[in-house]
Amino acid sequence: MNLIIMGAPGSGKGTQAALICKAHSLPHISTGDLLRKNIADGTELGKQAKAYMDAGKLVPDTLVIALLRNRIEQADCKNGFLLDGFPRNKAQADELGKITEIDAAINLETDLNKLADRMASRRVCLKCGYTTSVQDAPDGKCKVCGDSLVIRDDDKREVVENRLKVYAENTAPLVEYYKAAGKLKNIDGMQSIEDVNKAIEAAIK
């Protein structure tokens, strides 16, 4: 079972990806992690990617696809995988289709305004990593270690709204792409973690 998971920042995509992978013994392939691992391991493709990144340029699709091809040819992917963070646009989806068959594209549908509110209210403890919301910690103190809670830079309202805008612009064509291919599984991502997971399991059975 070769799966893609799509969802806006803050939609719970990472949480759901972990649950799906555990339930079906699938490797979770994040292109960001894949790039970092190849760079750390000093592979030939990693060196090429690093040269682009050091120059402040985007790593070209052809290079990312080559990294993905190498990864999905590994033994742990023989029964399938879950792709997270790729493809990001139609051109990448076309290239991906040339190297592997995708069985389903899971799309976590969310209300972007509510998502922006949720992310902007998120608070994190830098000391122990505890995460909560401003509503659940009105005193601004961590319930675990008592340290002060802060808002991360990427959770600030203007940053969140820009990230969601970019996501919506880039991902809307992908939703149509996989819908046309009969592979799209739309899931209401505003439900509880458990209900979202149940809906995903029912959709991919």
Side-chain angles (χ1 to χ4, degrees), residues 88-89 112 162-174:
R88 289 183 185 270
N89 54 50
L112 296 187
N162 187 55
R163 285 170 71 202
L164 293 177
K165 180 170 170 278
V166 170
Y167 173 81
E169 287 168 358
N170 290 341
T171 309
L174 266 188

Side-chain angles (χ1 to χ4, degrees), residues 85-96:
F86 194 91
R88 289 183 185 270
N89 54 50
K90 185 180 176 297
Q92 290 181 350
D94 282 336
E95 288 303 310
L96 179 63

Side-chain angles (χ1 to χ4, degrees), residues 176-191:
E176 290 307 313
Y177 182 97
Y178 285 110
K179 187 177 180 181
K183 306 280 178 73
L184 189 72
K185 308 290 182 187
N186 275 327
I187 305 292
D188 177 2
M190 300 305 286
Q191 308 173 87

Side-chain angles (χ1 to χ4, degrees), residues 31-50:
T31 44
D33 292 345
L34 197 55
L35 276 167
R36 285 186 286 273
K37 185 175 191 320
N38 275 269
I39 290 167
D41 291 350
T43 68
E44 190 50 47
L45 291 172
K47 287 174 189 170
Q48 291 176 41
K50 188 174 186 297

